[in-house]
Amino acid sequence: MHIARADGLLMDVARRAQLPLSKHIDAIEHFDGLSAHVDRAESPLGGKVVMIYPSGSFSIHCAIYSKIRSVQHDVDVVVELDLPGNTDPAWMLDKLYDAIKGEPGSKYHSYNIEKNSRCVTVTYPDGVTVDLMPVTRIPNGPERSALLFHHKPESGEKYRKEVNPKGFTNYFNANISSSEAFAKQYWQRKMLVEGMLVEKAETQPMPDHVPIEEKSPRVLAIQLIKRFRDVQYRQEGRRSRRLKKPPSVVIAAMALDVGPMSDSLATEVKAVARHFARAIRDADAAGGRFQVMNPAHPADEFTDRWPEDRETQRLWQRDLEHLARAIDTIGNSIFDPAEANELLEDLFGEALAEYAIEKHFAGQNEIAKRNKLGIGPSGSIRTTAAAVAAPALILPAHASTNMAGVLDDIDD
């Protein structure tokens, strides 16, 4: 099975950005620990917690490292409370903060805990963050619909907003299909770049952790676009202007509307990027702000805080168009390691670019070794003169690319 160059490189980038099983287990431990703590008997919210559930990227299997060097990730949690819908947003967030902070000597008292406008963020000693968002169920409303509480003390801004994160999670997971062809391509690529001559099954003892080869190529495309977004928005000009990043949930929602799924990861990334860019371009041409609603609960607008204005959406549109063009270049041009590394670094950061190029050369070395040994794709032995004469060595990535320096960090 042939794997196109762009697909192979993007598979390697995606693999480097994945959360392994160990980090998934860590996330579950953080989730379980905070859930029990908020609902403890002596908590200010004790007896008021109806349900606590993960939302965001973890719930749709799109979580990635927010920082590669320190292998950090973020977890989003919804805390559903049995409180009136007219509860004051400031009081709601204060009580959740107090419930997590606890008394001196309690489990999380010494942690860095911060109140934000819609959630309370707990930062663990290793840098991993958990965002807990308090909501109350809408009486007689659509299934799992709730009110989110927003408060910005610096401006006095307060309001409540209809949301349905659980509804979107269920809708997304029901509408994203897997691909057996992609799974085979991924395994072939992994065996090649890791130097494995015999296919081995990967054991995943935890069923709710989805290994990369079982993920839809569209889910991986979402992950790659999120990583691309993080790299673009760490640029100094955007940081100094305090520009908000396009929310992950908006990227996921847009990916649902692209159309039939391809087995090619490169094709998927380009399709999602171009569909997203086209939707922004259409909204801008109509003189309006780009909007995306929760398909499971249309009253829940995902774009209520981004884009702030039309120039903000145009900036992201240009980013997406650049992403699609760059992947075309990587796939269509004569392979130049330095150029490919430069393009991948621009798209996904230094750490992931270096990893992908390194694995590309590992794969080329493996192909050369197999040819020299006369080993075919299925593991059978060939004894042809061509096999014996095949080159034995492909230059390593560091021989022809400039990839010095430390791994890069991306703040989510």
Side-chain angles (χ1 to χ4, degrees), residues 320-397:
L320 292 167
E321 290 167 347
H322 167 63
L323 171 62
R325 287 194 303 268
I327 293 176
D328 275 337
T329 299
I330 291 170
N332 297 336
S333 63
I334 297 175
F335 186 69
D336 180 322
E339 179 188 37
N341 181 75
E342 183 178 354
L343 282 170
L344 290 171
E345 183 175 332
D346 172 61
L347 300 180
F348 305 113
E350 180 183 353
L352 272 62
E354 179 174 354
Y355 181 84
I357 297 296
E358 176 186 334
K359 291 304 178 184
H360 170 80
F361 279 98
Q364 295 301 102
N365 273 317
E366 184 67 16
I367 290 171
K369 181 169 67 175
R370 292 183 184 197
N371 286 340
K372 186 176 181 181
L373 294 174
I375 300 175
S378 65
S380 60
I381 304 297
R382 296 195 308 262
T383 56
T384 64
V388 175
L393 178 65
I394 302 295
L395 290 176

Side-chain angles (χ1 to χ4, degrees), residues 143-366:
E143 185 179 4
R144 309 315 299 270
S145 61
L147 289 177
L148 168 155
F149 295 82
H150 175 98
H151 176 229
K152 293 183 72 172
E154 61 271 22
S155 65
E157 181 181 64
K158 290 183 182 181
Y159 59 81
R160 301 165 191 84
K161 174 185 182 295
E162 282 195 35
V163 297
N164 196 334
K166 189 67 172 180
F168 179 72
T169 293
N170 294 339
Y171 184 92
F172 182 93
N173 290 334
N175 284 277
I176 290 292
S177 59
S178 60
S179 166
E180 183 177 349
F182 175 79
K184 290 179 179 179
Q185 289 181 34
Y186 174 79
W187 265 109
Q188 181 180 343
R189 176 70 177 186
K190 184 175 181 180
M191 286 192 297
L192 181 67
V193 301
E194 299 296 342
M196 296 183 289
L197 296 180
V198 180
E199 181 172 350
K200 297 180 180 179
E202 182 176 10
T203 301
Q204 294 291 344
M206 190 172 174
D208 55 345
H209 171 262
V210 179
I212 187 172
E213 70 275 10
E214 293 180 13
K215 290 187 177 183
S216 159
R218 186 152 299 172
V219 166
L220 293 182
I222 293 169
Q223 291 181 302
L224 289 173
I225 292 173
K226 285 172 56 180
R227 174 65 184 189
F228 167 74
R229 171 206 61 187
D230 292 347
V231 171
Q232 305 315 303
Y233 279 79
R234 74 174 177 179
Q235 295 173 13
E236 180 57 36
R238 302 191 193 193
R239 283 183 177 272
S240 63
R241 292 165 58 192
R242 297 182 179 275
L243 292 181
K244 287 185 172 68
K245 296 187 292 188
S248 297
V249 69
V250 174
I251 298 172
M254 291 301 297
L256 287 171
D257 294 331
V258 172
M261 187 180 69
S262 166
D263 295 324
S264 161
L265 182 54
T267 299
E268 279 294 295
V269 174
K270 290 186 292 184
V272 175
R274 286 173 173 151
H275 171 70
F276 201 157
R278 185 165 52 250
I280 295 175
R281 190 165 58 248
D282 290 346
D284 197 59
R289 185 177 64 84
F290 171 73
Q291 289 183 294
V292 174
M293 305 300 181
N294 183 343
H297 189 82
D300 178 9
E301 183 184 351
F302 288 158
T303 50
D304 62 313
R305 296 197 291 180
W306 178 95
E308 297 95 320
D309 51 44
R310 292 172 65 189
E311 180 50 41
T312 301
Q313 66 192 30
R314 289 172 190 154
L315 177 64
W316 179 236
Q317 174 195 328
R318 292 192 291 268
D319 286 340
L320 292 167
E321 290 167 347
H322 167 63
L323 171 62
R325 287 194 303 268
I327 293 176
D328 275 337
T329 299
I330 291 170
N332 297 336
S333 63
I334 297 175
F335 186 69
D336 180 322
E339 179 188 37
N341 181 75
E342 183 178 354
L343 282 170
L344 290 171
E345 183 175 332
D346 172 61
L347 300 180
F348 305 113
E350 180 183 353
L352 272 62
E354 179 174 354
Y355 181 84
I357 297 296
E358 176 186 334
K359 291 304 178 184
H360 170 80
F361 279 98
Q364 295 301 102
N365 273 317
E366 184 67 16

Side-chain angles (χ1 to χ4, degrees), residues 69-120:
R69 181 173 60 184
S70 49
V71 290
Q72 295 172 4
H73 56 279
D74 307 306
V75 183
D76 296 315
V77 176
V78 175
V79 182
E80 191 175 292
L81 299 167
D82 182 17
L83 290 169
N86 62 357
T87 300
D88 177 58
W91 184 92
M92 178 75 82
L93 290 161
D94 284 344
K95 288 303 176 185
L96 180 57
Y97 175 89
D98 293 341
I100 297 169
K101 189 71 173 175
E103 60 280 351
S106 61
K107 184 173 181 179
Y108 298 98
H109 187 78
S110 62
Y111 284 36
N112 179 15
I113 303 173
E114 180 183 5
K115 272 188 296 185
N116 299 302
S117 60
R118 296 182 175 183
C119 68
V120 176

